[in-house]
Structures are given as C-alpha cells and as structure tokens.
Amino acid sequence: MARARRTKSTLKGRSIVAISLGLFVAVTAIVVWRRSVGVGTARDMQRMEAERRALRSERITLENELRRAMGRRQVVQEAERRLGMHVATEAQTRFLAEGARSATPTDSGTP
C-alpha cells in the first residue's frame, strides 16, 4: 500500500539529462538559423552596395557625357553633320539697330 500512495513522481537523473539535451539542441538550432539568416542578409547587403557603386559610377559617366554633348562645339558639329547647317560668316551676318528690328523685314541674303 505504501507504493500505491506514492504516485507523485520526481524527475530522475536520466530525465534531467534528456530535457537538458533537448533544450541544448533547440537553442543550438535557433542560433544556427539566426546566424544563417544574418549571413544571407550580409550577402544581400554587399551585393546591393556593389550595385549602388556601379550605378553611381554609371550616373557620373552619363552626366559627363551629357555635359559634353550639350557643349557648343558638340552642338555645332552635330548641326553641321545631321542638318547641313553651318555657322554664319561675317559677310552673312547683319546687325540691326534696336529700333530698326521691328520696322524692316529681315534679309537672309548677303549685303
């Protein structure tokens, strides 16, 4: 009868070791998962940083090309090449007085 009363069980040595081992494996798995997520995030950040540097370099190159293309020399060369235009010589240019501009029609011929 003494044994029938003793239904309350206490944790023995093997049970404590098993629970401790289970907790250790769970914590280790969580740490490994967290580190693998961190490594993946770091890899993504490095890739994006390299892409940002490449885009910044491309932007600087494009700005330089745009600045060069908008220069007077380049515009004149393109106008001559594409449109057959040329810069007028002194003989082809007339300067009108300020008041005479609206009174006389413009003459595109030579003087």
Side-chain angles (χ1 to χ4, degrees), residues 16-64:
I16 293 174
V17 170
I19 290 172
S20 299
L21 185 60
L23 285 173
F24 175 75
V25 169
V27 168
T28 305
I30 290 171
V31 168
V32 168
W33 171 78
R34 186 175 152 261
R35 286 187 53 92
S36 66
V37 168
V39 167
T41 302
R43 191 177 304 126
D44 289 343
M45 287 177 63
Q46 288 175 349
R47 181 184 49 80
M48 284 191 259
E49 183 64 31
E51 185 178 347
R52 188 180 90 172
R53 281 192 303 267
L55 289 173
R56 192 176 278 172
S57 173
E58 184 179 353
R59 177 181 171 205
I60 290 170
T61 301
L62 290 173
E63 285 175 351
N64 289 338

Side-chain angles (χ1 to χ4, degrees), residues 10 32 45 52 54 62 70 88 92 95 99 110:
T10 59
V32 168
M45 287 177 63
R52 188 180 90 172
L62 290 173
M70 290 177 63
Q92 296 172 327
F95 293 99
T110 58

Side-chain angles (χ1 to χ4, degrees), residues 67-86:
R67 201 173 298 117
R68 183 187 57 79
M70 290 177 63
R72 179 173 168 76
R73 176 183 288 167
Q74 190 67 27
V75 170
V76 169
Q77 286 176 355
E78 286 298 313
E80 288 175 351
R81 187 177 66 80
R82 288 185 189 179
L83 305 173
M85 299 174 79
H86 64 277

